[in-house]
């Protein structure tokens, strides 16, 4: 399942990069967020009790790092804490894009695309 979701994440990131280059920043933000969402889902696996991953919850669980370091307690500071703010910002850009129709910041979105790439790499390396 990890490979399946990582393949989706990579395809969405490719889409986001193409949209970004085409100056379609809102669409790029949406695809980039869902690329990160799929990568985080690959890392964490299926949510408990047959539920679905809520957007802010998946970020919270992902950054703790207990998924690759099982002894790490969920309540402890996150092992991937440096990814929390960029992922939350990307989520807020997705909300702006998909629901509010407000423009996203082009320069900041460019750096967030790099964050998504890093998240996919982290899951690929640590999720094995």
């Amino acid at each position: 399942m990890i490979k399946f979701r990582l393949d989706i994440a990579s395809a969405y990131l490719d889409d986001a990069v193409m949209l970004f280059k085409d100056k379609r920043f809102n669409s790029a933000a949406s695809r980039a967020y869902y690329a990160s969402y799929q990568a985080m889902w690959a890392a964490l696996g299926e949510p408990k009790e047959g539920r679905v991953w809520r957007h802010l919850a998946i970020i919270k669980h992902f950054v703790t790092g207990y998924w690759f370091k099982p002894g790490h307690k969920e309540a402890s500071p996150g092992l991937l804490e440096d990814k929390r703010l960029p992922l939350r910002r990307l989520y807020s850009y997705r909300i702006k894009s998909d629901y509010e129709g407000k423009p996203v910041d082009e320069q900041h979105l460019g750096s967030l695309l790099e964050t998504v790439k890093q998240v996919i790499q982290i899951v690929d390396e640590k999720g094995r």
Side-chain angles (χ1 to χ4, degrees), residues 12-75:
Y12 286 177
L13 179 58
D14 289 346
D15 293 345
V17 169
M18 285 189 292
L19 289 162
F20 184 84
K21 288 178 181 176
D22 200 27
K23 300 192 183 305
R24 297 176 59 199
F25 304 119
N26 283 40
S27 295
S30 186
R31 282 298 86 195
Y33 171 73
Y34 279 107
S36 69
Y37 182 88
Q38 288 293 329
M40 291 184 286
W41 191 348
L44 296 170
E46 298 300 317
K48 295 176 183 176
E49 302 168 12
R51 296 183 178 177
V52 297
W53 282 112
R54 301 280 182 216
H55 296 283
L56 295 177
I58 200 168
I59 293 169
K60 175 185 171 188
H61 286 273
F62 177 77
V63 300
T64 61
Y66 67 81
W67 55 273
F68 70 86
K69 191 173 181 186
H72 188 73
K73 295 180 180 160
E74 289 184 43

Side-chain angles (χ1 to χ4, degrees), residues 65-126:
Y66 67 81
W67 55 273
F68 70 86
K69 191 173 181 186
H72 188 73
K73 295 180 180 160
E74 289 184 43
S76 301
L79 298 173
L80 300 170
E81 200 61 42
D82 64 314
K83 301 297 181 236
R84 183 184 305 272
L85 183 58
L87 288 168
R88 287 184 64 119
R89 181 155 291 132
L90 188 56
Y91 172 71
S92 72
Y93 276 9
R94 200 262 317 170
I95 296 296
K96 277 184 176 185
S97 297
D98 292 345
Y99 295 106
E100 299 170 3
K102 294 180 181 174
V104 299
D105 180 271
E106 172 186 349
Q107 286 184 319
H108 201 241
L109 179 58
S111 69
L112 292 175
L113 291 175
E114 183 58 34
T115 297
V116 175
K117 181 180 176 183
Q118 292 168 5
V119 165
I120 292 170
Q121 289 172 338
I122 289 167
V123 174
D124 189 37
E125 292 169 7
K126 296 183 182 297

